[in-house]
């Protein structure tokens, strides 16, 4: 029994530590992924804040509808009322919604302003180009680094070759062969476009989502404050394999990023394996809730 409790405790501690370092969808999910940026934390706060208005209003409307259906049904009112208006009621249902909308509008505009006004200049710019059905990433640095990122196949041999057999860390339909790698606590600008049809670049844990439109460049930014492996997907219907176009971003320390970048310029698969070995040896990065 003691051994069982100790094992359960160790597993709980492991999951708790892991949950702070990664984010991916989970079965029967009803909430957002754990925020990995300040913007996403604000979005999560605003969602909870707005529910304090939405739920009472929904309940009130439901109660009023039920009351009207029962109280003013034909059998209870053979002679219907001919009341045409009520000044007090009209004032209440005019002023009330205006006040509620003001309470929602002010924090909403503040959030929109924060989303479109980064507090500092980007230190890293990555161009993400959507293809049917994968992503090209171009690191716009002194010696540009370009690579393709596609969904990891179900083939076990391919997963073993990439060192990604663990489905808890590299889940089916979300894991990719080459993740975008960025340093933690660094402002990253992503220039999003497409090569063929309209796609969408979405990373829920970062609070980022924008269309990828051929011939146009949309700009988003994020500053991840937690190291880990984060998953997103194309969010614009783009063809028969739309559901198989995941996005994976690995957030690492400055030192790990510098080492990976130097090696990736000549040997991307080798750089990825070395980074995975270092990260997974120091801290797990899977099993976070959504």
């Amino acid at each position: 029994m003691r051994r069982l409790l100790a094992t359960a405790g160790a597993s709980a501690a492991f999951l708790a530590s892991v949950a702070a370092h990664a984010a991916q969808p989970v079965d029967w999910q009803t909430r957002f992924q754990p925020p990995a940026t300040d913007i996403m934390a604000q979005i999560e706060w605003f969602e909870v804040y707005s529910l304090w208005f939405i739920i009472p209003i929904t309940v009130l409307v439901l109660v009023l509808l039920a009351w009207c259906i029962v109280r003013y049904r034909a059998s209870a009112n053979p002679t219907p009322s001919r009341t045409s208006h009520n000044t007090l009621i009209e004032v209440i249902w005019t002023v009330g919604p205006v006040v509620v909308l003001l309470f929602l509008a002010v924090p909403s505009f503040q959030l929109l302003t924060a989303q479109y006004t980064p507090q500092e200049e980007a230190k890293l710019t990555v161009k993400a180009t959507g293809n049917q059905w994968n992503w090209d990433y171009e690191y716009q640095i002194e010696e540009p680094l370009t690579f393709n990122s596609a969904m990891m196949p179900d083939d076990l041999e391919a997963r073993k070759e990439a060192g990604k057999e663990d489905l808890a860390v590299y889940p089916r339909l979300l894991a990719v062969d080459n993740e975008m790698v960025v340093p933690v606590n660094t402002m990253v600008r992503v220039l999003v476009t497409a090569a063929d049809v309209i796609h969408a670049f979405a990373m829920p844990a970062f609070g980022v989502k924008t269309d990828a439109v051929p011939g146009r460049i949309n700009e988003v930014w994020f500053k991840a404050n937690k190291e880990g492996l984060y998953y997103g997907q194309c969010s614009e219907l783009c063809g028969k394999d739309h559901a198989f176009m995941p996005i994976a971003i690995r957030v690492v320390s400055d030192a790990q990023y510098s080492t990976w970048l130097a090696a990736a310029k000549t040997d991307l698969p080798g750089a990825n394996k070395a980074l995975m070995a270092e990260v997974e040896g120091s801290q797990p990065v899977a099993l976070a809730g959504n």
Side-chain angles (χ1 to χ4, degrees), residues 218-247:
N218 289 328
E219 179 178 316
V220 294
W221 61 272
F222 63 84
K223 185 177 181 180
N225 51 33
K226 297 178 183 178
E227 296 182 28
L229 183 55
Y230 300 91
Y231 292 104
Q233 290 176 296
C234 172
S235 297
E236 187 75 47
L237 187 61
C238 57
K240 70 180 184 65
D241 285 342
H242 161 67
F244 310 105
M245 192 173 169
I247 300 166

Side-chain angles (χ1 to χ4, degrees), residues 124-144:
L124 172 65
T125 298
V126 180
K127 183 179 180 182
T129 303
N131 310 297
Q132 290 180 308
W133 290 268
N134 50 69
W135 293 92
D136 288 329
Y137 295 126
E138 178 185 329
Y139 284 65
Q140 300 190 346
I141 52 182
E142 186 174 350
E143 297 180 16

Side-chain angles (χ1 to χ4, degrees), residues 2 15 45 64 81 117 163 169 177 179 251 257 270 283:
R2 287 182 178 179
L15 292 176
W45 174 88
L64 289 176
S81 171
T117 312
V169 181
D177 51 3
E179 297 91 2
V251 182
Y257 170 75
Q283 63 177 31

Side-chain angles (χ1 to χ4, degrees), residues 18-30:
V18 166
H21 297 290
Q24 58 179 264
V26 296
D27 293 338
W28 302 101
Q29 181 177 350
T30 59

Side-chain angles (χ1 to χ4, degrees), residues 71-235:
R71 175 66 179 80
Y72 297 106
R73 65 190 188 277
S75 59
N77 292 273
T79 304
S81 171
R82 295 183 177 275
T83 302
S84 62
H85 69 279
N86 184 297
T87 302
L88 178 61
I89 292 178
E90 291 180 1
V91 169
I92 291 174
W93 70 34
T94 300
V95 175
V98 169
V99 172
V100 171
L101 287 175
L102 284 174
F103 274 98
L104 290 173
V106 173
S108 175
F109 290 150
Q110 291 174 336
L111 177 56
L112 284 172
T113 301
Q115 285 181 300
Y116 287 99
T117 312
Q119 296 180 349
E120 59 185 275
E121 289 294 323
K123 297 180 181 179
L124 172 65
T125 298
V126 180
K127 183 179 180 182
T129 303
N131 310 297
Q132 290 180 308
W133 290 268
N134 50 69
W135 293 92
D136 288 329
Y137 295 126
E138 178 185 329
Y139 284 65
Q140 300 190 346
I141 52 182
E142 186 174 350
E143 297 180 16
L145 169 66
T146 303
F147 59 87
N148 180 265
S149 178
M151 187 181 72
M152 179 63 60
D154 286 336
D155 180 46
L156 184 59
E157 290 301 320
R159 282 183 168 268
K160 284 184 177 180
E161 178 71 20
K164 298 180 178 180
E165 309 99 304
D166 189 350
L167 293 178
V169 181
Y170 303 101
R172 181 176 177 269
L173 304 182
L174 285 177
V176 301
D177 51 3
N178 300 308
E179 297 91 2
M180 180 197 297
V181 180
V182 299
V184 70
N185 294 321
T186 299
M187 184 66 70
V188 179
R189 174 171 52 219
V190 184
L191 305 178
V192 182
T193 187
D196 35 44
V197 300
I198 300 179
H199 301 279
F201 187 89
M203 182 55 61
F206 295 171
V208 167
K209 177 183 285 189
T210 191
D211 281 342
V213 183
R216 175 176 176 176
I217 293 180
N218 289 328
E219 179 178 316
V220 294
W221 61 272
F222 63 84
K223 185 177 181 180
N225 51 33
K226 297 178 183 178
E227 296 182 28
L229 183 55
Y230 300 91
Y231 292 104
Q233 290 176 296
C234 172
S235 297

